[in-house]
C-alpha cells in the first residue's frame, strides 16, 4: 500500500500534485475560471451576510485555518477569527446567528473540534465544515461543507490533507470575492491560473528531494530549530516547525519573522538552524533583513527561496528553491520542502515517522 515508498508520510508528500488537483477538480470551470462549490450553494447568502466567519480547528488544520483567515480577509473582505477548538469550546465565546463557524478537520473526528461544532450550533450560528473523511461525524453534524478529496491519510503527520485544506480555503475565498466583487477581474484570473499551475510546480519541487535530504543530513543533530515567515508564510513556518517536532522530536518553534526581535532572537547562536520562508513577495526585503539579523549572530539559515534568487543564495547556508507564483498560492508550494526536510531528518535520526511516539492519527480524547 505504500506504493514502493519507505513510509506513508513520504508517499503522501509525493501524492500532493494529484491530491491538490483532486481538491479543485470539478470546482473550477476552466472555460471561464468560475468557482463552483455545489454543497455551499444553499448557504451562500448567509455566508455573504455573516458579520464574521470563525474558523475552528486543531493542529495542522489550525494552521490551514490561519491561512484561510488571511485569504478570506484579503480577497473577500469579511472579518475572520481563528480559534483553537480546545479554547473556543471552553471559553463561552460571543456567538450568534449572524456568525458563520467553519470547522476544519482532516478526520472529522477530533473531539475538541466536534464539541466546538456542537456548541456553535447551540448558539444558532451556521456551522460549516472542511473535512477529508467522507461520512465522518463532522460531515454529518455540520449544516454544509466542502470535502477536501485528498484520499485517506495514514501518516500521523498531516501533509496532503493540509495542502488540500489550503486549496479548498483558497477556492472558498475566491468564490466569496467573486460574489462580493472585492477583487479586480484580472487579479481573480491570475490567482485561478496560478492555482491550476500549482500541481506542476510541486512536481518540480519534489524533484529536488535528494538535495533536501542532503541538507537534512547537515542538521540532523540539531537540538532546537526556529522557523520564520511573514504574511501567508507565517502559518507555513508554524506548520514546518510542527512537522519537525512531531516526527523528529527536535524542539522547533515557528514565529512571525517580525516577532523575532521581541524574544526568539535570544535563541540564535552558531548551533541553531533557522528555516526562513523567503520567496520573492511583498515582504521579501523585510525577510532579508531578518536573515541578516540571524546571520550577524552566527545562526545557520536555511532559506526557502524563489528559483534563481542569487542574492539570498550568497547570504545563507542552504537554499530550498521553489518556482515563482502568486503570493496566494505560495503556501502550497513552500510547505512542500519543509515537509520533506522534517521527513528526512526524522528518518536519519531513526524515528518512526508514520507513528510518532505519544501521538494518534485522530485525537478523540478531550
Ligand atoms: O483530523 P484533524 O484535522 O481534526 O486533526 C487535527 C490535529 O490533531 C492534527 O492536524 C495533528 O496536529 C497532526 N498530527 C499534525 O501533523
Amino acid at each position: 500500500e505504500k506504493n514502493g515508498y519507505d513510509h506513508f508520510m513520504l508517499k503522501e508528500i509525493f501524492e500532493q500534485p494529484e491530491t491538490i488537483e483532486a481538491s479543485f477538480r470539478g470546482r473550477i470551470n476552466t472555460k471561464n475560471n468560475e468557482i463552483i462549490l455545489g454543497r455551499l450553494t444553499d448557504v451562500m447568502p448567509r455566508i455573504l451576510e455573516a458579520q464574521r466567519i470563525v474558523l475552528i480547528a486543531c493542529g495542522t488544520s489550525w494552521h490551514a485555518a490561519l491561512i484561510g483567515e488571511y485569504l478570506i480577509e484579503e480577497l473577500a473582505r469579511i472579518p475572520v477569527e481563528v480559534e483553537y477548538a480546545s479554547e473556543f469550546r471552553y471559553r463561552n465565546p460571543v456567538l450568534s446567528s449572524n456568525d458563520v463557524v467553519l470547522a476544519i478537520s482532516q478526520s472529522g473526528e477530533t473531539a475538541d473540534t466536534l464539541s466546538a461544532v456542537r456548541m456553535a450550533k447551540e448558539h444558532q450560528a451556521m456551522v460549516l465544515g472542511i473535512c477529508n473523511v467522507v461520512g465522518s461525524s463532522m460531515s454529518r453534524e455540520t449544516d454544509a461543507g466542502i470535502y477536501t478529496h485528498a484520499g485517506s491519510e495514514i501518516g500521523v503527520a498531516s501533509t496532503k490533507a493540509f495542502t488540500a485544506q489550503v486549496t479548498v480555503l483558497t477556492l472558498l475565498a475566491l468564490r466569496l470575492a467573486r460574489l462580493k466583487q472585492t477583487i479586480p477581474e484580472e487579479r481573480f484570473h491570475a490567482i485561478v491560473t496560478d492555482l491550476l499551475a500549482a500541481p506542476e510546480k510541486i512536481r518540480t519541487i519534489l524533484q529536488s528531494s535528494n538535495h533536501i535530504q542532503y541538507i537534512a543530513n547537515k542538521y540532523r543533530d540539531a537540538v532546537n530549530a526556529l522557523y520564520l515567515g511573514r504574511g501567508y508564510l507565517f502559518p507555513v513556518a508554524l506548520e514546518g516547525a510542527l512537522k519537525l517536532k512531531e516526527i523528529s522530536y527536535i524542539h522547533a518553534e515557528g514565529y512571525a519573522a517580525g516577532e523575532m526581535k521581541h524574544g526568539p532572537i535570544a535563541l540564535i547562536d552558531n548551533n541553531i538552524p533557522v528555516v526562513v520562508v523567503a520567496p520573492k513577495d511583498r515582504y521579501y526585503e523585510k525577510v532579508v533583513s531578518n536573515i541578516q539579523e540571524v546571520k550577524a549572530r552566527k545562526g545557520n539559515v536555511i532559506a526557502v527561496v524563489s528559483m534563481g534568487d542569487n542574492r539570498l543564495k550568497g547570504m545563507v547556508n542552504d537554499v530550498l528553491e521553489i518556482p515563482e507564483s502568486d503570493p496566494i498560492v505560495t503556501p502550497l508550494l513552500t510547505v512542500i520542502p519543509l515537509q520533506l526536510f522534517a521527513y528526512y531528518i526524522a528518518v536519519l535520526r531513526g524515528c518512526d515517522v508514520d507513528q510518532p511516539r505519544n501521538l494518534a492519527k485522530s485525537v478523540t480524547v478531550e
Side-chain angles (χ1 to χ4, degrees), residues 218-231:
K218 290 203 210 172
Y219 299 99
R220 60 191 279 184
D221 295 321
V223 179
N224 293 296
L226 192 60
Y227 285 71
L228 303 173
R230 284 179 187 254

Side-chain angles (χ1 to χ4, degrees), residues 151-222:
S152 74
E153 189 181 64
I154 312 263
V156 164
S158 185
T159 52
K160 63 174 182 171
F162 173 76
T163 45
Q165 289 164 343
V166 173
T167 302
V168 161
L169 285 161
T170 309
L171 294 175
L172 175 62
L174 285 168
R175 181 71 192 136
L176 293 171
R178 196 72 171 145
L179 291 168
K180 293 191 67 190
Q181 298 188 326
T182 39
I183 51 170
E185 182 97 17
E186 318 86 80
R187 174 102 179 96
F188 175 82
H189 289 294
I191 298 169
V192 174
T193 305
D194 267 21
L195 188 60
L196 289 165
E200 207 42 51
K201 291 180 183 172
I202 292 173
R203 282 191 190 100
T204 309
I205 300 169
L206 291 169
Q207 277 163 11
S208 62
S209 64
N210 284 341
H211 177 62
I212 300 174
Q213 188 171 19
Y214 160 80
I215 296 171
N217 193 41
K218 290 203 210 172
Y219 299 99
R220 60 191 279 184
D221 295 321

Side-chain angles (χ1 to χ4, degrees), residues 58-61 105-108 110 156-158 165 242-243 246 363:
C58 304
T60 285
S61 300
S105 173
Q106 186 286 130
S107 60
T110 300
V156 164
S158 185
Q165 289 164 343
L242 178 60
K243 288 292 87 93
E246 71 178 332
V363 183

